[in-house]
Short mmCIF file of all heavy atoms in Angstrom, two decimals:
data_model
loop_
_atom_site.label_atom_id
_atom_site.label_comp_id
_atom_site.label_asym_id
_atom_site.label_seq_id
_atom_site.Cartn_x
_atom_site.Cartn_y
_atom_site.Cartn_z
N ARG T 963 90.23 92.82 115.79
CA ARG T 963 90.81 92.48 114.47
C ARG T 963 90.33 93.52 113.48
O ARG T 963 89.24 94.09 113.55
CB ARG T 963 90.35 91.08 114.01
CG ARG T 963 90.83 89.93 114.85
CD ARG T 963 92.37 89.84 114.90
NE ARG T 963 92.95 89.62 113.63
CZ ARG T 963 93.15 88.41 113.11
NH1 ARG T 963 92.76 87.32 113.73
NH2 ARG T 963 93.76 88.26 111.93
N ARG T 966 86.57 94.31 111.63
CA ARG T 966 85.57 93.52 112.30
C ARG T 966 85.11 94.26 113.56
O ARG T 966 85.83 95.07 114.14
CB ARG T 966 86.16 92.17 112.73
CG ARG T 966 86.66 91.32 111.57
CD ARG T 966 87.13 90.00 112.07
NE ARG T 966 87.73 89.21 110.97
CZ ARG T 966 88.29 88.02 111.14
NH1 ARG T 966 88.29 87.47 112.33
NH2 ARG T 966 88.79 87.38 110.13
N VAL T 1076 99.48 93.24 106.86
CA VAL T 1076 99.24 92.33 105.75
C VAL T 1076 98.31 92.92 104.70
O VAL T 1076 98.52 92.83 103.51
CB VAL T 1076 98.75 90.95 106.24
CG1 VAL T 1076 98.34 90.07 105.09
CG2 VAL T 1076 99.80 90.28 107.10
N ARG T 1077 97.21 93.53 105.20
CA ARG T 1077 96.24 94.09 104.27
C ARG T 1077 96.80 95.27 103.52
O ARG T 1077 96.31 95.64 102.44
CB ARG T 1077 94.99 94.52 105.04
CG ARG T 1077 94.17 93.38 105.62
CD ARG T 1077 92.98 93.90 106.38
NE ARG T 1077 92.20 92.82 106.99
CZ ARG T 1077 91.21 92.17 106.40
NH1 ARG T 1077 90.87 92.53 105.16
NH2 ARG T 1077 90.58 91.19 107.01
N ARG T 1079 99.97 95.52 102.42
CA ARG T 1079 101.25 95.14 101.84
C ARG T 1079 101.51 95.79 100.48
O ARG T 1079 102.67 96.15 100.18
CB ARG T 1079 101.37 93.63 101.73
CG ARG T 1079 100.34 92.92 100.88
CD ARG T 1079 100.46 91.38 101.04
NE ARG T 1079 99.49 90.62 100.28
CZ ARG T 1079 98.24 90.38 100.69
NH1 ARG T 1079 97.82 90.88 101.81
NH2 ARG T 1079 97.44 89.65 99.91
N MET T 1101 102.84 84.35 108.18
CA MET T 1101 101.50 84.18 108.72
C MET T 1101 101.47 83.06 109.76
O MET T 1101 102.02 81.98 109.52
CB MET T 1101 100.52 83.81 107.60
CG MET T 1101 100.51 84.74 106.39
SD MET T 1101 99.91 86.40 106.76
CE MET T 1101 98.17 86.05 107.16
N GLY T 1102 100.84 83.36 110.89
CA GLY T 1102 100.64 82.31 111.92
C GLY T 1102 101.87 81.51 112.27
O GLY T 1102 101.82 80.32 112.42
N ARG T 1107 98.49 77.10 111.49
CA ARG T 1107 98.23 77.69 110.17
C ARG T 1107 99.48 78.39 109.61
O ARG T 1107 99.40 79.21 108.70
CB ARG T 1107 97.12 78.76 110.31
CG ARG T 1107 95.77 78.15 110.70
CD ARG T 1107 94.74 79.21 110.98
NE ARG T 1107 95.02 79.93 112.22
CZ ARG T 1107 94.38 81.04 112.65
NH1 ARG T 1107 93.46 81.55 111.90
NH2 ARG T 1107 94.70 81.58 113.80
N TRP T 1109 102.47 79.74 107.62
CA TRP T 1109 102.75 79.82 106.20
C TRP T 1109 103.70 80.97 105.98
O TRP T 1109 103.61 82.01 106.68
CB TRP T 1109 101.48 80.04 105.40
CG TRP T 1109 101.64 80.20 103.92
CD1 TRP T 1109 101.79 79.19 103.00
CD2 TRP T 1109 101.72 81.43 103.17
NE1 TRP T 1109 101.93 79.74 101.74
CE2 TRP T 1109 101.90 81.08 101.83
CE3 TRP T 1109 101.65 82.77 103.54
CZ2 TRP T 1109 102.01 82.07 100.82
CZ3 TRP T 1109 101.77 83.74 102.56
CH2 TRP T 1109 101.97 83.36 101.21
N GLU T 1122 99.36 86.16 96.92
CA GLU T 1122 98.09 85.61 97.32
C GLU T 1122 98.27 84.67 98.50
O GLU T 1122 99.07 83.73 98.46
CB GLU T 1122 97.43 84.86 96.17
CG GLU T 1122 97.05 85.73 95.00
CD GLU T 1122 96.24 84.99 93.94
OE1 GLU T 1122 95.85 83.82 94.23
OE2 GLU T 1122 96.01 85.56 92.86
N ILE T 1123 97.54 84.88 99.56
CA ILE T 1123 97.66 84.10 100.80
C ILE T 1123 96.69 82.92 100.70
O ILE T 1123 95.50 83.14 100.39
CB ILE T 1123 97.35 84.97 102.02
CG1 ILE T 1123 98.30 86.19 102.09
CG2 ILE T 1123 97.45 84.11 103.27
CD1 ILE T 1123 97.96 87.17 103.14
N PRO T 1124 97.14 81.70 100.94
CA PRO T 1124 96.22 80.59 100.87
C PRO T 1124 95.12 80.67 101.91
O PRO T 1124 95.31 81.28 102.98
CB PRO T 1124 97.13 79.38 101.11
CG PRO T 1124 98.32 79.93 101.82
CD PRO T 1124 98.51 81.30 101.30
N ALA T 1125 93.98 80.11 101.61
CA ALA T 1125 92.82 80.19 102.49
C ALA T 1125 93.15 79.64 103.89
O ALA T 1125 92.65 80.14 104.91
CB ALA T 1125 91.63 79.43 101.92
N SER T 1126 93.99 78.65 103.97
CA SER T 1126 94.31 78.01 105.24
C SER T 1126 95.03 78.97 106.20
O SER T 1126 95.01 78.77 107.41
CB SER T 1126 95.19 76.80 105.01
OG SER T 1126 96.40 77.16 104.37
N ALA T 1127 95.67 80.01 105.63
CA ALA T 1127 96.41 80.94 106.47
C ALA T 1127 95.84 82.36 106.44
O ALA T 1127 96.35 83.25 107.14
CB ALA T 1127 97.88 81.01 106.00
N SER T 1128 94.79 82.55 105.67
CA SER T 1128 94.30 83.92 105.45
C SER T 1128 93.81 84.63 106.71
O SER T 1128 93.85 85.88 106.78
CB SER T 1128 93.21 83.93 104.40
OG SER T 1128 92.08 83.16 104.86
N ASP T 1129 93.36 83.89 107.68
CA ASP T 1129 92.82 84.51 108.89
C ASP T 1129 93.85 84.45 110.05
O ASP T 1129 93.53 84.85 111.15
CB ASP T 1129 91.55 83.81 109.34
CG ASP T 1129 90.75 84.62 110.34
OD1 ASP T 1129 90.65 85.84 110.13
OD2 ASP T 1129 90.25 84.06 111.32
N ALA T 1130 95.05 83.97 109.78
CA ALA T 1130 96.08 83.92 110.82
C ALA T 1130 96.73 85.28 110.98
O ALA T 1130 96.79 86.06 110.07
CB ALA T 1130 97.12 82.88 110.41
N PRO T 1131 97.24 85.56 112.20
CA PRO T 1131 98.00 86.82 112.38
C PRO T 1131 99.22 86.80 111.48
O PRO T 1131 99.87 85.76 111.33
CB PRO T 1131 98.37 86.78 113.86
CG PRO T 1131 98.31 85.32 114.27
CD PRO T 1131 97.23 84.74 113.43
N GLY T 1132 99.53 87.95 110.90
CA GLY T 1132 100.66 88.04 109.99
C GLY T 1132 101.46 89.28 110.05
O GLY T 1132 101.03 90.25 110.73
#
Side-chain angles (χ1 to χ4, degrees):
R963 294 299 298 272
R966 300 182 185 178
V1076 173
R1077 292 178 182 272
R1079 59 189 180 277
M1101 307 293 295
R1107 295 173 289 171
W1109 178 83
E1122 294 188 9
I1123 302 171
S1126 59
S1128 61
D1129 197 42

